[in-house]
């Protein structure tokens, strides 16, 4: 491969660059996982040792406390607090249910009273000189419970001293008996006294209301408003009928008077007068005689004149009689008319009075109703208190029988249940361990499972690399190695011990503690990652790939190195470039010199192939180390010469992997990625900080950087598909050599200071560095 070929490369060779994919574009995110059994199991598995440690510590403390427990003495006595024949009280009232409710003892309240300071203080005062007891210590050791549905209470007391227990129980028994004889009866007598006072007050109130009702009825002249209303209505109807009759009579008398004042009427009326008719008949008789005499005599005849004289004398009498008779008749009519008018006025006055009474009747009815209602309420209350007095009298008669000690106080040692205490301590320890695990998980700001990463980070997942203990130990310092080996031994011991108990416990231990950290699975995951990247739609024909991480310690350099080896094993020629100029580590892992590297190629006029070092004897894996130290790595990587170098390497290698510094706080990876086909982001389970990763993704998105996807590193959970696939491969004899692909870990900065030449020589890769001319590059 002559140098002239490398020099003759032009900018057009960059046309094979892969298509850049925006940061936010990815496959559909995994559906959110519920915080169910899987999440709880994950938390328990991550903090299994913490849970185990807390549980063992608390269990040990509980066991020590159990075995050190001093012998306790517990005593008790039973007391009958209700008469056995208390149900006979039901005969006092017709309603048996209400009677039971009123006479039954309220046991919860009674127990609270028996444990009250008022009763226990006197007991504590009597025992304090001998046993130094106070109310607080006494009430905490006393238990009072009702014996089933009986009428007895059991009083228990526990103490480290048998004499103290029996003394306390005897004092309590005497105190409770005294209480039953005095205080409880006093309460009933106070209730009776109160009821008697209420009965007296209500009786006076009832008498007053009855007198008030009687005076109201006398004042308003009715028994009750309803009857009075009916009376007034009936009287008003009768007066209306009489009024109409009188009005008709008055109209008739007026007509009669008018008739008397007319001629025809007068004539008809005079016909009723005998004296007037007699005078009139006399005059008619004289007129007839005069008419007869005129036939015989002349008008001046003395006989005729005599008759005429008689007639003239009778005419004044006739007029006088007619006038007297008519006047008499008119007077009679006037008197009758006046009498009728007087009666009519009297009726109308009575009607007006009745109307006033009817209008005031609602007010009277309301007042009457109020008095009646007050009287009814008072009567009901008086009846209720009378019944209560009867019940209290019956209850007082029943409870005159004092409480009785059924079983005398006795004391004996308490048999300690060590098994129960130990089991309770174990469960409590596990609960505390789980609580500590949950608290630690809340404080942890990292991702714990690939599913959680897929859910929150919208990037294509190129591969999930399982945790590999060999790589971890190679990249850790002495203390971390010792710690990891100790934890591994503890896990193995726990799994072994659990298998001796039961299959279910063994399965639980494997689920919580087994990490599946074999090298074979790690190699197979690398192969899957490499194939996924080749087949990814977002990175077609990607040759130059930058690999980085959000923060330091995510394992990007280890992934880059082992990925390069995996790609070689799968038939590709690979160039691995160490672009971590401020802290180069690749040459240590590959055991190659760092005399001429990337920094030298970017600053000197050396040939493009001068920094290439062959790592494998088959010529498939080459490396370019970081080179000499520089003060401004970002400025050097920003040189146009880097693009020229990468354009040259694109043509002669199937894959160029550039290991760059972490993205957080440094611009190196972003600068290099501008000349690459895309960036692969390494995210480590239980390591990468969520906020740091989020800030890094936002920064890449703002720069429109090409991100091919992410590689999830350090997964300690079960990868069932990959594991089954590998187990199937392992059964084949042909794949046995592939499973032995050597793994290399990039050591931490602290570990590099203690790494010796002998240690580097003993690492998996032991390449023989060749000079550029020996490699056949011209």
């Amino acid at each position: 491969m002559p140098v002239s070929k490398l020099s003759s490369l032009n900018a057009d060779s960059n046309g094979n660059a892969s298509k850049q994919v925006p940061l936010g574009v990815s496959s559909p995110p995994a559906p959110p996982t519920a915080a169910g059994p899987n999440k709880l199991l994950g938390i328990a598995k991550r903090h299994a040792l913490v849970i185990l440690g807390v549980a063992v510590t608390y269990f040990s403390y509980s066991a020590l406390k159990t075995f050190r427990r001093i012998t306790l003495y517990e005593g008790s006595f039973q007391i009958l607090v209700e008469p056995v024949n208390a149900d006979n009280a039901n005969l006092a009232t017709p309603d048996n249910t209400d009677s039971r409710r009123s006479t039954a003892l309220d046991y919860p309240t009674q127990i609270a009273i028996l444990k009250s300071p008022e009763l226990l203080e006197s007991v504590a005062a009597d025992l304090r000189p001998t046993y130094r007891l106070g109310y607080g210590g006494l009430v905490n050791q006393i238990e009072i419970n009702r014996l089933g549905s009986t009428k007895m209470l059991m009083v228990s007391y526990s103490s480290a001293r048998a004499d103290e227990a029996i003394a306390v129980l005897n004092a309590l028994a005497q105190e409770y008996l005294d209480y039953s004889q005095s205080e409880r009866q006093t309460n009933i007598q106070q209730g009776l006294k109160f009821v008697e006072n209420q009965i007296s007050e209500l009786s006076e109130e009832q008498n007053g209301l009855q007198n008030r009702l009687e005076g109201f009825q006398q004042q308003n002249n009715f028994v009750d408003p309803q009857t009075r209303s009916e009376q007034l209505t009936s009287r008003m109807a009768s007066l209306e009928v009489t009024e109409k009759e009188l009005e008709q009579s008055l109209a008739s008398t007026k007509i009669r008077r008018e008739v008397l004042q007319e001629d025809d009427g007068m004539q008809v009326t005079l016909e009723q007068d005998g004296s007037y008719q007699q005078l009139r008949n006399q005059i008619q008789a004289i007129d007839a005689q005069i008419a007869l005499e005129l036939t015989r005599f002349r008008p001046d005849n003395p006989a005729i004149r005599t008759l005429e004289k008689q007639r003239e004398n009778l005419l004044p009498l006739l007029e006088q009689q007619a006038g007297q008779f008519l006047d008499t008749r008119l007077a009679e009519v006037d008197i009758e008319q006046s009498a009728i008018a007087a009666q009519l006025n009297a009726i109308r006055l009575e009607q007006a009075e009745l109307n006033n009474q009817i209008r005031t009747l609602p007010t009277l009815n309301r007042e009457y109703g109020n008095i009646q209602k007050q009287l009814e309420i008072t009567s009901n209350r008086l009846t209720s208190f009378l019944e209560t007095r009867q019940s209290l009298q019956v209850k007082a008669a029943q409870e005159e029988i004092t409480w009785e000690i059924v079983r005398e106080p006795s004391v004996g040692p308490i048999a300690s249940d060590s098994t129960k205490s130990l089991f309770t301590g174990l469960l409590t320890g596990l609960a505390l361990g789980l609580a500590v695990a949950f608290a630690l998980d809340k404080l942890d700001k990292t991702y714990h499972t690939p599913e959680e990463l897929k859910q929150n980070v919208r990037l294509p997942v190129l591969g999930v690399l399982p945790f590999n203990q060999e790589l971890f130990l190679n990249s850790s310092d002495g203390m971390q190695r010792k710690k990891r080996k100790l934890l591994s031994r503890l896990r193995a011991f726990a799994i072994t011990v659990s298998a001796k108990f039961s299959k279910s416990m063994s399965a639980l231990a494997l689920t919580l503690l087994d990490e599946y950290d074999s090298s074979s699975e790690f190699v197979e995951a690398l192969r899957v990652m490499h194939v996924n990247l080749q087949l990814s739609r977002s990175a077609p024909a990607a040759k130059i790939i930058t690999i980085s991480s959000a923060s330091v310690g995510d394992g990007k350099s280890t992934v880059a190195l082992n990925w390069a080896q995996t790609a070689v094993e799968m038939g590709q020629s690979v160039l691995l470039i160490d672009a971590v100029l401020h802290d180069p580590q690749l040459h240590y892992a590959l055991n190659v010199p760092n005399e001429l590297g990337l920094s030298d190629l970017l600053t000197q006029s050396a040939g493009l192939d001068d920094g290439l070092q062959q790592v494998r004897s088959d010529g498939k894996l080459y490396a370019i180390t970081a080179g000499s130290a520089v003060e401004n790595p970002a400025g050097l990587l920003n040189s146009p010469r880097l693009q020229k170098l990468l354009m040259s390497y694109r043509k002669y290698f199937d894959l160029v992997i550039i290991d760059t510094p972490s993205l957080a706080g440094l611009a190196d990876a972003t600068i290099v990625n501008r000349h690459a086909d895309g960036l692969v982001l390494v995210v480590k389970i239980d390591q990468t900080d969520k906020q740091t990763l989020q800030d890094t993704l936002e920064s890449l998105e703002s720069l429109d950087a090409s991100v091919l996807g992410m590689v999830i590193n350090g997964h300690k959970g079960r990868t069932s598909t990959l594991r089954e696939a590998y187990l199937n491969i392992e059964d084949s004899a042909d794949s046995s050599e592939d499973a032995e692909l050597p793994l290399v870990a990039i050591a931490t900065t602290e570990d590099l200071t203690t790494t010796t030449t002998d240690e580097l020589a003993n690492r998996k890769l032991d390449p023989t560095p060749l000079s550029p001319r020996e490699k056949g590059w011209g």
Side-chain angles (χ1 to χ4, degrees):
M1 189 177 296
V3 179
S4 58
K5 279 190 175 183
L6 292 175
S7 303
S8 62
L9 291 175
N10 53 37
D12 294 337
S13 63
N14 200 23
N16 294 327
S18 64
K19 180 181 178 181
Q20 292 187 356
V21 180
L23 179 61
V25 178
S26 67
S27 59
T33 56
N38 291 335
K39 184 174 181 180
L40 299 179
L41 186 63
I43 294 174
K45 183 172 183 179
R46 286 193 297 275
H47 303 288
L49 293 178
V50 174
I51 296 173
L52 185 61
V54 173
V56 169
T57 302
Y58 186 84
F59 177 74
S60 301
Y61 166 76
S62 179
L64 182 63
K65 185 178 178 181
T66 299
F67 294 130
R68 280 185 166 182
R69 183 178 298 164
I70 60 176
T71 303
L72 290 179
Y73 295 91
E74 185 178 49
S76 63
F77 65 87
Q78 295 177 3
I79 185 169
L80 181 68
V81 296
E82 285 188 278
V84 177
N85 60 347
D87 290 339
N88 295 335
N90 297 334
L91 301 175
T93 57
D95 189 351
N96 292 339
T97 302
D98 293 343
S99 179
R100 288 192 190 97
R101 187 180 299 115
S102 63
T103 60
L105 184 64
D106 183 359
Y107 280 88
T109 304
Q110 186 63 68
I111 291 173
I113 294 174
L114 295 179
K115 297 180 72 173
S116 64
E118 183 180 358
L119 293 180
L120 295 185
E121 277 291 355
S122 60
V123 176
D126 295 338
L127 298 176
R128 187 175 294 116
T130 306
Y131 301 105
R132 297 182 181 179
L133 283 175
Y135 168 74
L138 194 61
V139 73
N140 290 333
Q141 300 299 326
I142 292 177
E143 289 189 7
I144 304 177
N145 298 299
R146 183 182 182 184
L147 292 177
S149 59
T150 66
K151 300 174 181 179
M152 293 188 296
L153 295 176
M154 173 177 280
V155 182
S156 304
Y157 181 80
S158 58
S159 173
R161 298 175 57 180
D163 58 338
E164 177 185 327
I166 194 66
V168 170
L169 290 174
N170 288 329
L172 287 174
Q174 188 60 45
E175 181 67 24
Y176 291 162
L177 291 177
D178 294 341
Y179 162 75
S180 69
Q181 293 175 354
S182 59
E183 296 295 332
R184 299 179 71 247
Q185 285 299 317
T186 300
N187 293 336
I188 296 176
Q189 294 301 326
Q190 288 178 349
L192 278 172
K193 183 177 180 181
F194 171 77
V195 170
E196 292 290 353
N197 292 335
Q198 292 296 316
I199 290 174
S200 176
E201 293 177 1
L202 290 174
S203 297
E204 293 180 1
E205 184 177 352
Q206 185 183 46
N207 292 333
L209 289 172
Q210 289 175 344
N211 293 333
R212 179 181 172 189
L213 181 63
E214 184 179 353
F216 181 82
Q217 292 172 335
Q218 293 176 354
Q219 180 181 356
N220 295 280
N221 196 23
F222 62 79
V223 178
D224 62 83
Q226 183 65 29
T227 304
R228 181 60 173 170
S229 176
E230 293 175 357
Q231 292 175 351
L232 293 177
T233 304
S234 176
R235 178 59 179 166
M236 181 63 75
S238 175
L239 290 177
E240 288 177 353
V241 172
T242 304
E243 181 185 20
K244 290 181 180 179
E245 292 177 352
L246 291 175
E247 287 177 350
Q248 292 176 357
S249 298
L250 182 61
S252 177
T253 55
K254 288 181 179 180
I255 293 172
R256 285 168 56 195
R257 193 174 191 287
E258 290 175 356
V259 170
L260 287 175
Q261 292 177 348
E262 295 177 357
D263 292 340
D264 293 339
M266 291 179 182
Q267 189 64 37
V268 172
T269 303
L270 290 175
E271 288 179 357
Q272 299 175 1
D273 186 9
S275 299
Y276 177 81
Q277 291 297 331
Q278 185 178 0
L279 291 174
R280 184 176 179 183
N281 290 332
Q282 290 179 3
I283 291 175
Q284 288 177 352
I286 291 174
D287 287 339
Q289 190 175 355
I290 289 174
L292 181 60
E293 293 295 333
L294 284 176
T295 60
R296 291 186 303 165
F297 301 106
R298 290 174 60 101
D300 54 355
N301 187 288
I304 292 174
R305 291 189 176 194
T306 301
L307 291 173
E308 288 180 350
K309 186 65 174 176
Q310 290 179 354
R311 184 178 182 280
E312 289 177 0
N313 291 333
L314 289 174
L315 284 176
L317 292 174
L318 181 63
E319 290 178 1
Q320 184 180 357
Q321 182 63 33
Q324 289 178 353
F325 185 77
L326 289 175
D327 289 342
T328 301
R329 288 292 184 182
L330 287 174
E332 290 176 355
V333 171
D334 289 340
I335 292 171
E336 183 180 359
Q337 185 175 358
S338 298
I340 293 172
Q343 292 179 6
L344 190 60
N345 288 334
I347 289 175
R348 287 174 177 170
L349 289 175
E350 187 176 355
Q351 284 180 331
E353 179 65 23
L354 290 176
N355 285 329
N356 290 332
Q357 293 183 15
I358 291 173
R359 282 195 298 270
T360 59
L361 191 61
T363 303
L364 298 175
N365 190 16
R366 183 170 60 253
E367 185 176 355
Y368 178 84
N370 291 336
I371 298 174
Q372 282 280 60
K373 187 175 181 179
Q374 292 178 9
L375 182 60
E376 181 181 359
I377 293 173
T378 303
S379 299
N380 291 337
R381 290 179 62 194
L382 181 60
T383 302
S384 176
F385 274 104
L386 289 172
E387 293 175 354
T388 303
R389 181 176 64 180
Q390 183 179 6
S391 299
L392 288 176
Q393 289 172 347
V394 172
K395 186 175 181 180
Q398 289 176 336
E399 296 188 355
E400 286 179 358
I401 303 175
T402 59
W403 290 359
E404 181 181 353
I405 301 297
V406 177
R407 195 184 74 182
E408 295 294 332
S410 60
V411 175
I414 302 176
S416 60
D417 191 352
S418 301
T419 303
K420 182 179 179 181
S421 299
L422 293 176
F423 185 71
T424 303
L426 178 60
L427 292 181
T428 306
L430 289 174
L432 290 175
L434 287 173
V436 173
F438 276 100
L440 292 176
D441 196 73
K442 287 293 183 181
L443 296 175
D444 194 355
K445 301 301 181 182
T446 61
Y447 293 103
H448 305 296
T449 62
E451 290 74 17
E452 189 178 0
L453 259 172
K454 293 175 185 178
Q455 181 181 345
N456 293 278
V457 180
R458 298 195 59 187
L459 283 178
V461 178
L462 302 175
V464 179
L465 303 181
F467 173 79
N468 186 268
Q469 181 164 274
E470 181 182 354
L471 292 177
F472 178 81
L473 295 177
N474 289 338
S475 63
S476 304
D477 57 18
M479 285 300 297
Q480 286 181 320
R481 290 193 189 99
K482 293 179 181 179
K483 179 181 177 182
R484 182 64 196 179
K485 289 180 180 179
L486 176 61
L487 292 179
S488 297
R489 291 172 183 171
L490 289 175
R491 291 177 190 272
F493 175 75
I495 293 173
T496 304
V497 172
S498 63
K500 296 180 180 180
F501 287 93
S502 64
K503 291 183 179 180
S504 58
M505 186 174 293
S506 177
L508 178 61
L510 285 171
T511 302
L512 293 176
L513 302 177
D514 191 11
E515 292 183 342
Y516 301 101
D517 57 357
S518 68
S519 300
S520 304
E521 293 182 30
F522 184 80
V523 171
E524 195 62 36
L526 285 172
R527 292 170 180 165
V528 173
M529 181 197 79
H530 181 68
V531 173
N532 286 342
L533 185 60
Q534 287 183 320
L535 299 179
S536 175
R537 295 181 180 179
S538 61
K543 281 191 174 184
I544 302 177
I545 299 177
T546 303
I547 186 167
S548 184
S549 61
S551 57
V552 178
D554 291 344
K556 59 168 183 60
S557 298
T558 301
V559 173
L561 180 57
N562 290 280
W563 176 23
Q565 291 192 91
T566 302
V568 170
E569 293 294 330
M570 298 184 72
Q572 289 190 319
S573 59
V574 181
L575 172 61
L576 182 59
I577 302 176
D578 187 0
V580 186
L581 303 183
H582 68 286
D583 186 19
Q585 300 179 18
L586 189 62
H587 60 285
Y588 289 103
L590 296 177
N591 194 17
V592 296
N594 191 26
E595 298 175 357
L596 182 64
L598 182 61
S599 61
D600 302 303
L601 294 176
L602 295 177
T603 56
Q604 300 175 7
S605 58
L608 299 177
D609 59 342
D610 288 343
L612 291 171
Q613 300 188 60
Q614 183 177 335
V615 178
R616 292 171 61 107
S617 58
D618 57 5
K620 291 290 186 73
L621 178 59
Y622 285 83
I624 297 179
T625 60
S628 305
V630 294
E631 295 182 357
N632 185 11
L636 184 61
L637 292 173
N638 200 27
S639 170
R641 187 171 175 82
L642 176 61
Q643 183 180 7
K644 187 176 180 181
L645 284 172
L646 297 179
M647 289 170 59
S648 301
Y649 299 147
R650 179 188 297 276
K651 186 174 181 180
Y652 298 101
F653 292 97
D654 297 324
L655 179 63
V656 178
I657 301 175
I658 307 175
D659 182 21
T660 59
S662 59
L663 291 163
L666 296 174
D668 300 21
T670 306
I671 294 173
V672 174
N673 191 49
R674 291 186 304 176
H675 308 299
D677 297 333
L679 175 113
V680 173
L681 188 66
V682 177
V683 180
K684 191 170 184 180
I685 296 294
D686 299 327
Q687 175 71 30
T688 305
D689 183 77
K690 293 180 181 179
Q691 189 59 47
T692 302
L693 178 60
Q694 184 64 32
D695 296 341
T696 299
L697 293 176
E698 291 177 357
S699 176
L700 290 173
E701 186 174 7
S702 64
L703 296 174
D704 197 20
S706 172
V707 180
L708 303 179
M710 65 176 173
V711 175
I712 301 175
N713 187 25
H715 177 42
K716 297 180 182 179
R718 182 189 296 269
T719 311
S720 57
T721 305
L722 179 61
R723 189 169 181 81
E724 292 174 3
Y726 177 72
L727 290 176
N728 293 332
I729 295 172
E730 197 176 39
D731 293 337
S732 173
D734 297 336
S735 61
S736 59
E737 295 182 359
D738 293 337
E740 295 178 358
L741 179 67
L743 302 179
V744 179
I746 300 297
T748 60
T749 304
E750 293 78 2
D751 189 40
L752 290 177
T753 59
T754 60
T755 304
T756 63
T757 307
D758 294 336
E759 290 174 342
L760 291 174
N762 292 330
R763 297 197 177 188
K764 295 290 182 180
L765 289 180
D766 190 13
T768 303
L770 300 175
S771 65
R773 296 293 176 182
E774 293 174 327
K775 298 170 189 172
W777 283 71

